[in-house]
């Protein structure tokens, strides 16, 4: 699977939007961009995923660059409960085999009250 | 939504003890489940893929005789850490997918923190 690069940490003020970047310059045409987050002492939680078009759901929005070499996870209004490690993961949508995930180091988001 | 439950959430035991961790898909069937391990301040590392009715597939460097995996039903996979030692102390997390296919979200359990004295 292609590699992703994320900042180690970011800070945000509560109730402000947060933009979490992810670079994936070696992304292939069949790679989907997945985002998960891990709250302290919990298992990861699915956030959102997309291929080419921007995606929105109740948790976040995913903005994908036109060349797909980068993407941004957008939390529209950060709350203290959003403090977590956010992982950007590429998954080949047409690859045979198991649906496991390979986690990088992610971005640790700190939300300041 | 799909729920994956892990039990126990925390285990503290003496060196040499074998510890069994259960992973259940509560409201869906999972032919495949995954086991991860996470050391403090590190990311998750895939240990093995648990396949219902067949042998698990282990990642390179993971001892299959040390970490026994059983997936006897479509809703339950177990990981047994045999003869655990302090270096096995870690956060063990399982996951499962509601549907087949690479774009299906993985649903994770809340993890089991294993501490070997």
């Amino acid at each position: 699977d292609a590699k992703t690069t994320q900042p180690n940490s970011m800070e945000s003020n509560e109730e402000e939007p947060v933009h979490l970047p992810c670079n994936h310059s070696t992304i292939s045409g069949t790679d989907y961009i997945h985002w998960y987050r891990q709250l302290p002492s919990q298992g990861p939680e699915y956030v959102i995923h997309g291929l080419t078009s921007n995606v929105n759901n109740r948790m976040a929005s995913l903005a994908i660059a036109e060349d797909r070499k980068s993407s941004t996870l957008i939390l529209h209004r950060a709350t203290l409960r959003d403090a977590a490690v956010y992982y950007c993961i590429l998954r080949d949508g047409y690859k045979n085999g198991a649906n496991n995930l390979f986690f990088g180091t992610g971005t640790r988001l700190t939300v300041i009250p | 939504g799909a729920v994956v439950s892990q039990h126990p959430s925390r285990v503290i035991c003496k060196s040499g003890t074998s510890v069994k961790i259960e992973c259940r898909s509560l409201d869906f069937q999972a032919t495949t489940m995954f086991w991860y391990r996470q050391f403090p301040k590190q990311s998750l590392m895939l240990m093995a893929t648990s396949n219902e009715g067949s042998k698990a597939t282990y990642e390179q460097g993971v001892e299959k005789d040390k970490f026994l995996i059983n997936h006897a039903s479509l809703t339950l996979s177990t990981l047994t850490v045999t003869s655990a030692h302090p270096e096995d102390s870690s956060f063990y997390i399982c996951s499962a997918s509601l549907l087949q296919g690479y774009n299906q979200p993985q649903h994770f359990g809340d993890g089991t923190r294993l501490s070997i004295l």
Side-chain angles (χ1 to χ4, degrees):
Chain A
D1 296 303
K3 186 178 176 180
T4 63
T5 303
Q6 299 177 253
N8 288 332
S9 62
M10 289 183 66
E11 286 187 353
S12 172
N13 293 320
E14 195 177 10
E15 299 190 3
E16 290 189 358
V18 183
H19 291 233
L20 297 164
C22 181
N23 288 321
H24 27 79
S25 58
T26 59
I27 190 171
S28 73
T30 54
D31 280 336
Y32 282 73
I33 303 159
H34 289 246
W35 283 83
Y36 285 76
R37 71 180 185 181
Q38 186 178 20
L39 279 64
S41 300
Q42 295 187 26
E45 173 186 29
Y46 167 79
V47 178
I48 200 166
H49 77 278
L51 182 63
T52 57
S53 302
N54 294 343
V55 184
N56 300 296
N57 66 21
R58 63 175 180 82
M59 289 182 69
S61 294
L62 177 59
I64 302 172
E66 195 170 337
D67 63 5
R68 298 205 332 121
K69 293 184 185 298
S70 65
S71 61
T72 302
L73 180 71
I74 302 167
L75 306 180
H76 295 286
R77 199 159 162 259
T79 69
L80 295 178
R81 289 178 297 176
D82 292 321
V85 178
Y86 287 79
Y87 297 98
C88 171
I89 302 169
L90 300 184
R91 297 299 295 132
D92 190 325
Y94 297 92
K95 186 177 180 181
N96 290 326
N99 193 17
N100 51 282
L101 296 168
F102 289 97
F103 288 80
T105 54
T107 297
R108 181 175 298 278
L109 175 66
T110 301
V111 180
I112 302 168
Chain B
V3 177
V4 173
S5 173
Q6 260 184 263
H7 178 80
S9 58
R10 174 143 197 160
V11 181
I12 302 173
C13 58
K14 294 181 180 178
S15 183
T17 306
S18 291
V19 178
K20 180 186 282 188
I21 303 169
E22 293 186 348
C23 179
R24 293 181 185 273
S25 54
L26 295 186
D27 50 358
F28 66 102
Q29 295 182 331
T31 56
T32 304
M33 292 184 175
F34 304 96
W35 288 96
Y36 296 82
R37 180 168 56 182
Q38 185 175 33
F39 291 109
K41 299 192 184 300
Q42 293 187 24
S43 191
L44 282 79
M45 294 296 294
L46 179 68
M47 297 177 66
T49 302
S50 173
N51 304 298
E52 187 269 335
S54 64
K55 291 182 179 180
T57 305
Y58 290 82
E59 294 300 302
Q60 191 172 10
V62 178
E63 300 176 56
K64 62 180 182 181
D65 295 329
K66 172 79 174 176
F67 300 98
L68 301 179
I69 291 173
N70 184 276
H71 194 154
S73 79
L74 287 170
T75 60
L76 174 65
S77 174
T78 60
L79 168 68
T80 301
V81 184
T82 62
S83 187
H85 290 95
E87 58 266 29
D88 298 322
S89 298
S90 189
F91 192 47
Y92 292 86
I93 308 168
C94 70
S95 75
S97 181
L98 175 59
L99 298 171
Q100 297 300 315
Y102 264 66
N103 294 318
Q104 300 306 319
Q106 285 288 313
H107 302 281
F108 289 82
D110 279 338
T112 297
R113 191 162 302 281
L114 176 61
S115 300
I116 307 298
L117 305 177

